[in-house]
Amino acid sequence: MSPRPKIALDKKTIVMAAAQLANEQGSDQVTLALLAKKLNIKPPSLYNHFDGLPGIKRELALFSLEKLYNGLEAEALEKSPGEESVLAITDAYLSFARENPGLYEFALSAPDHSDEKVNHAGERIVRLVISTIQPSSLSDEGAIHAVRGLRSLMHGFASLEQKGGFGMPLDLDESYRLAVKTFLRGMKISG
């Protein structure tokens, strides 16, 4: 039997391998056995860096939320607050879900809602979306309702698309943009 090649095993390497595994095979395929196989190590070696699978999933949730935030922020910063900025972040959200299907699942299903770091990462995304909506005439409470509605629309579309729920031969991007614009008009969010 040939010896296992030595790799520099650290948290970042493990998280990146787990992210790749999630995106290629699905979030439910992130197991200690499959991750160890991907890294060409024995499963117990993972315990040197994480508190088992829950620890790895927590780091994947944080990594996913941070990656999503960075993509949304990059788009939001290039546009004026209001409709233009909201359209940019909704496009970035759908792109993230399409390009990172496994990470998208981890971004939505953080393992422990009492985890301060995970909550903070999620709250940053909410605050970013609020900042793009806030120049509208909505109150603070109205902005929260708008964020909830927008998130529901984005997630619903991304989930249906990932599950093959759109069978008609119409342009999905056009359908998505039309749905978002209709929502924004209904909430009276303009640029």
Side-chain angles (χ1 to χ4, degrees):
M1 187 187 272
S2 61
R4 294 176 182 266
K6 295 287 183 192
I7 60 168
L9 193 62
D10 57 18
K11 279 188 168 192
K12 183 178 180 181
T13 302
I14 295 168
V15 169
M16 296 308 291
Q20 186 178 19
L21 185 63
N23 282 336
E24 291 172 355
Q25 298 183 29
S27 63
D28 59 333
Q29 293 301 307
V30 177
T31 64
L32 294 178
L34 288 175
L35 184 55
K37 182 178 180 181
K38 182 170 188 58
L39 291 166
N40 200 26
I41 61 173
K42 294 183 182 200
S45 298
L46 294 167
Y47 285 94
N48 293 330
H49 304 278
F50 292 98
D51 185 21
L53 190 57
I56 293 170
K57 287 185 174 185
R58 175 188 183 270
E59 287 301 314
L60 277 172
L62 286 169
F63 176 75
S64 301
L65 289 167
E66 187 66 28
K67 186 173 175 72
L68 176 59
Y69 175 83
N70 290 339
L72 299 179
E73 182 186 45
E75 292 301 317
L77 292 175
E78 292 184 12
K79 309 291 184 208
S80 300
E83 182 178 355
E84 184 181 359
S85 183
V86 175
L87 288 171
I89 65 171
T90 59
D91 287 346
Y93 183 96
L94 187 58
S95 292
F96 176 83
R98 287 174 172 168
E99 295 165 12
N100 303 283
L103 289 180
Y104 178 67
E105 290 179 39
F106 278 106
L108 293 175
S109 60
D112 181 2
H113 296 289
S114 66
D115 186 311
E116 286 184 34
K117 284 181 94 172
V118 172
N119 282 334
H120 176 71
E123 287 170 8
R124 286 181 67 207
I125 294 171
V126 171
R127 284 193 306 270
L128 176 65
V129 177
I130 287 173
S131 74
T132 65
I133 290 173
Q134 205 60 38
S136 67
S137 60
L138 296 176
S139 66
D140 289 347
E141 188 176 295
I144 296 291
H145 290 305
V147 169
R148 287 178 177 170
L150 194 58
R151 180 180 182 209
S152 298
L153 189 154
M154 293 184 304
H155 172 63
F157 196 96
S159 294
L160 285 167
E161 184 180 48
Q162 284 183 347
K163 303 294 185 211
F166 299 120
M168 293 183 178
L170 288 172
D171 184 302
L172 290 176
D173 291 332
E174 186 177 342
S175 295
Y176 182 66
R177 196 154 257 248
L178 179 61
V180 171
K181 284 184 174 185
T182 301
F183 175 81
L184 294 177
R185 276 194 302 273
M187 293 298 295
K188 297 179 175 56
I189 298 169
S190 60

